[in-house]
Amino acid sequence: MKKHWLALLTAFCLMLTACSTTQTAPQASEPAKTEAAKIELMISAAASLTDALNELKTQYETEHPGTTLTFNFGGSGKLATQITQGAPSDVFLSASKKDMDGLEEQQLIAKDTRQDFTKNSLVLIAGNTSAVAVSSFEELSNATIKHIAVGEPETVPAGRYAKETLDTLKMWDSLSAQMVFGSDVRQVLTFVESGNAEVGIVYSSDAAASKNVKVLATAKPEWHKPIVYPGAVVSASKNPDAAKAFLAYLTSDKGKAILQKYGFQ
């Protein structure tokens, strides 16, 4: 009898041990809620677009909270070279067709996204307090002018248009010793604002953006090639759909209004 009860007690203890070591299978947790993916668009843009695009950035990001715009401003030629060398970029906004043509020939932009989005004009400027007695491009040989600021023609479209203008007037060679070259059109503007150059040749939009310069003359359209700004999605873009959406916004009524506000046509 004693052996019988001992056997029952042993079996009961074994049953309790098994129960205590059995774990409840974990409940499958609900999938974690993920936030919408954030997109950063890198825009390589001509320096002359600086003020307009900085305002557009605020408006665009407010209306597109999942997208951040980052700008790389500079001379269009230098920007095109950077893209050729593999620098990350989603959109290229050029101040000349030539630099965009070069990328298209190398298939570095999505050809079907290319479009002209604005125009500009070329002006001769001086500092607000300048006493330079010049009222036309033809008067640049004035003896009182020692320094003429222009963009580097090889890499800065504004400089290229300036050279075309002065070549048309047969003045480029005779004035070459007085030239002060800027790496982009905004540096040219700074040369004049600071008084390091008596006059400079920039876009009308640059002159409109500065409170420290005045326009002395406007170049005639026939003196240079049309100043047209093309934009396109870069072929290597990791966000092509978002890049296309940005270009569409730039050419929309809202985008045009901002460009016109800053002196673009």
Side-chain angles (χ1 to χ4, degrees):
M1 187 69 152
K2 184 176 181 180
K3 291 182 180 180
H4 176 70
W5 281 107
L6 184 59
L8 287 176
L9 181 59
T10 302
F12 180 70
C13 290
L14 290 173
M15 183 176 67
L16 288 178
T17 301
C19 290
S20 65
T21 56
T22 302
Q23 297 181 352
T24 305
Q27 297 276 332
S29 58
E30 294 184 4
K33 295 181 179 179
T34 57
E35 295 183 0
K38 300 292 185 180
I39 294 174
E40 179 182 8
L41 282 182
M42 176 61 75
I43 316 293
S44 297
S48 53
L49 293 164
T50 300
D51 298 301
L53 289 184
N54 280 334
E55 178 167 330
L56 187 143
K57 169 184 170 71
T58 300
Q59 185 169 298
Y60 190 84
E61 290 180 352
T62 298
E63 297 181 23
H64 301 76
T67 301
T68 299
L69 303 181
T70 300
F71 297 114
N72 175 26
F73 293 113
S76 297
K78 286 186 177 180
L79 295 175
T81 298
Q82 290 173 6
I83 293 172
T84 300
Q85 294 174 343
S89 184
D90 295 292
V91 176
F92 179 41
L93 303 179
S94 175
S96 79
K97 290 189 173 184
K98 177 183 177 181
D99 298 303
M100 187 67 80
D101 289 345
L103 293 185
E104 184 173 325
E105 289 170 4
Q106 299 175 71
Q107 299 182 338
L108 294 176
I109 62 165
K111 184 177 179 180
D112 61 333
T113 67
R114 178 175 174 170
Q115 54 188 304
D116 297 336
F117 62 92
T118 196
K119 298 179 180 180
N120 220 327
S121 56
L122 202 66
V123 295
L124 179 65
I125 62 169
N128 269 341
T129 59
S130 172
V132 172
V134 172
S135 59
S136 70
F137 280 80
E138 292 93 334
E139 296 175 23
L140 280 174
S141 56
N142 188 309
T144 62
I145 299 176
K146 305 299 182 184
H147 304 95
I148 303 171
V150 298
E152 171 56 56
E154 293 301 316
T155 57
V156 183
R160 195 177 305 141
Y161 297 127
K163 185 178 187 302
E164 290 174 3
T165 294
L166 295 178
D167 275 338
T168 299
L169 298 174
K170 302 185 185 309
M171 298 177 69
W172 178 263
D173 291 337
S174 62
L175 295 174
S176 59
Q178 295 157 252
M179 298 292 180
V180 179
F181 296 104
S183 59
D184 58 52
V185 72
R186 284 308 172 95
Q187 187 173 50
V188 174
L189 184 66
T190 300
F191 286 157
V192 178
E193 290 176 325
S194 63
N196 288 319
E198 291 90 345
V199 297
I201 301 176
V202 299
Y203 296 125
S204 59
S205 59
D206 296 298
S210 174
K211 297 180 180 179
N212 301 313
V213 302
K214 58 186 176 183
V215 175
L216 303 176
T218 301
K220 294 180 180 180
E222 59 266 27
W223 289 349
H224 55 75
K225 293 179 181 178
I227 303 176
V228 177
Y229 286 62
V233 174
V234 177
S235 297
S237 171
K238 295 180 180 179
N239 303 289
D241 291 336
K244 290 177 184 177
F246 170 77
L247 276 179
Y249 191 89
L250 185 65
T251 55
S252 70
D253 290 341
K254 291 181 179 179
K256 289 177 182 177
I258 291 177
L259 290 169
Q260 290 173 356
K261 175 181 176 181
Y262 286 91
F264 293 91
Q265 302 166 12

